[in-house]
């Protein structure tokens, strides 16, 4: 059944798309439509709020949250996406851990290139600390571009002298703005979502001419991860961004960080989005992520 599910998801993601480069609004509308099809757990509540001066969604379990807060960063190539498009993932983590979560509506490129979104995410984390939340009860999590932000926000927080969160979970993170990983070539055509041209196109909007060879843009190549909290990276083999994850995991290991690199065979980019019965691998991966989070933010 699992192989059939993976094949069905792959075929769905390969549906024909308009030829040529799409406009920013077309990219945003297409992503909203795709993510609206994902399955939501029915045991969470969602409230619009603000955090660090930016809109955010606050997601809580119906039965009340246990001690622990997830700061979630949505995906979308730094150009599209929102807390709403990532809500299925955020809600699944809340449902499985019993923690509450805040998902930040950070500013997007091309209107707001690097480092605007990173500044918003750091402000959101600072707001949680200012509210007297214990950093030992906070975890970062994110998918794709947001998975990248889960790492770079921690780097920026450390550089400012802030206490780091208890743990970080990154789903298919984007961690290399230089696009030099071997998987950019070896997984071309195997990846049902991305091409090199597509990620270079959105990446250029985020960079806006800035040098990608710096830790806050390409942490898989240039970040010093010394002192980082335990890190779980989940990625599928059918991703051109696979080497973003493998290289960051190696840097974390070499820096003495507790790191788990969790690679799922034949799975596409952010396959965890298909949890709730569509893809068994997605539910299993989120179960592992929830276990990781509850191990590092234990009940008081």
């Amino acid at each position: 059944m699992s192989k059939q599910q993976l094949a069905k998801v792959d075929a769905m993601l390969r549906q024909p798309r308009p030829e040529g480069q799409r406009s920013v609004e077309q990219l945003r509308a297409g992503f909203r439509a795709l993510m609206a099809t994902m399955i939501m757990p029915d045991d969470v509540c969602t409230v619009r709020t603000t955090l660090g001066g930016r809109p955010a969604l606050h997601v809580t379990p119906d039965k009340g949250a246990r001690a622990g807060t997830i700061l979630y960063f949505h995906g979308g190539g730094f150009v599209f996406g929102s807390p709403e498009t990532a809500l299925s993932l955020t809600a699944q983590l809340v449902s499985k851990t019993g923690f509450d979560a805040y998902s930040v509506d950070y500013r997007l490129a091309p209107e707001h290139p690097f480092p605007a979104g990173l500044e918003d995410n750091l402000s959101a984390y600072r707001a949680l600390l200012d509210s007297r939340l214990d950093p030992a009860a906070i975890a970062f999590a994110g998918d794709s571009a947001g998975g990248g932000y889960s790492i770079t926000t921690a780097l920026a927080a450390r550089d400012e002298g802030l206490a780091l969160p208890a743990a970080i979970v990154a789903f298919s993170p984007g961690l290399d703005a230089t696009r030099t990983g071997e998987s950019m070539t070896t997984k071309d055509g195997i990846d049902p979502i991305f091409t090199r041209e597509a990620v270079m196109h959105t990446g250029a909007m985020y960079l806006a001419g800035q040098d990608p060879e710096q830790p806050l843009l390409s942490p898989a190549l240039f970040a010093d991860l010394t002192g980082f909290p335990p890190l779980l990276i989940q990625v599928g083999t059918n991703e051109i961004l696979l080497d973003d994850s493998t290289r960051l995991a190696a840097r974390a290991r070499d820096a003495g960080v507790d790191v788990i690199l969790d690679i799922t065979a034949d799975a596409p980019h952010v396959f965890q989005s298909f949890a709730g019965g569509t893809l068994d691998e997605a539910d299993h991966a989120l179960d592992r992520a929830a276990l990781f989070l509850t191990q590092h933010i234990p009940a008081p």
Side-chain angles (χ1 to χ4, degrees):
M1 174 62 75
S2 182
K3 288 186 180 297
Q4 293 174 346
Q5 290 175 336
L6 283 164
K8 187 175 180 179
V9 168
D10 185 270
M12 184 271 288
L13 292 173
R14 292 183 189 274
Q15 289 295 313
R17 301 169 192 165
E19 293 186 4
Q21 288 184 351
R22 290 178 287 173
S23 69
V24 170
E25 189 44 51
Q26 286 173 323
L27 288 170
R28 290 172 178 170
F31 190 63
R32 283 194 301 269
L34 172 64
M35 299 311 293
T37 67
M38 302 305 167
I39 297 171
M40 277 279 297
D42 58 7
D43 59 350
V44 301
C45 299
T46 303
V47 176
R48 296 181 188 278
T49 185
T50 59
L51 188 66
R54 290 296 300 170
L57 289 182
H58 188 204
V59 187
T60 58
D62 278 346
K63 296 180 180 179
R66 55 174 284 188
T69 295
I70 300 167
L71 183 57
Y72 196 89
F73 310 117
H74 70 79
F78 307 105
V79 171
F80 45 92
S82 67
E84 287 77 14
T85 61
L87 184 54
S88 61
L89 278 170
T90 312
Q92 289 283 358
L93 287 177
V94 167
S95 177
K96 291 177 181 292
T97 61
F99 299 157
D100 72 328
Y102 289 91
S103 184
V104 187
D105 192 7
Y106 56 81
R107 288 172 291 172
L108 299 173
E111 298 91 340
H112 305 283
F114 173 82
L118 178 61
E119 291 170 348
D120 292 341
N121 294 329
L122 182 59
S123 293
Y125 181 50
R126 192 182 295 108
L128 291 181
L129 298 179
D130 289 346
S131 72
R132 297 186 180 276
L133 273 182
D134 185 349
I138 300 173
F140 288 176
D143 66 279
S144 194
Y149 273 143
S150 72
I151 302 300
T152 57
T153 302
L155 286 171
R158 187 192 63 189
D159 290 348
E160 286 206 1
L162 299 177
L164 291 181
I168 298 173
V169 172
F171 302 131
S172 299
L175 300 164
D176 175 20
T178 72
R179 309 300 187 193
T180 55
E182 288 187 9
S183 57
M184 292 290 294
T185 300
T186 60
K187 299 299 180 179
D188 186 36
I190 296 172
D191 190 322
I193 301 175
F194 290 139
T195 63
R196 174 187 288 273
E197 292 74 21
V199 297
M200 293 293 287
H201 178 54
T202 53
M205 295 184 206
Y206 184 55
L207 287 173
Q210 299 173 86
D211 181 6
E213 295 188 0
Q214 51 182 301
L216 295 178
L217 285 168
S218 299
L221 299 180
F222 303 110
D224 175 8
L225 302 177
T226 301
F228 254 51
L231 174 61
L232 171 64
I233 306 168
Q234 291 187 341
V235 66
T237 60
N238 290 8
E239 300 196 42
I240 63 173
L241 299 184
L242 172 61
D243 284 352
D244 289 35
S245 292
T246 59
R247 289 177 297 167
L248 188 89
R251 293 189 73 81
R253 175 202 64 203
D254 293 345
V257 176
D258 289 340
V259 57
I260 299 173
L261 176 62
D262 183 350
I263 303 177
T264 297
D266 301 321
H269 186 68
V270 196
F271 66 93
Q272 298 86 347
S273 296
F274 294 95
T278 301
L279 183 62
D280 291 345
E281 282 83 353
D283 291 287
H284 297 160
L286 286 171
D287 285 341
R288 295 193 296 273
L291 176 62
F292 176 83
L293 289 170
T294 54
Q295 286 175 330
H296 293 288
I297 306 179

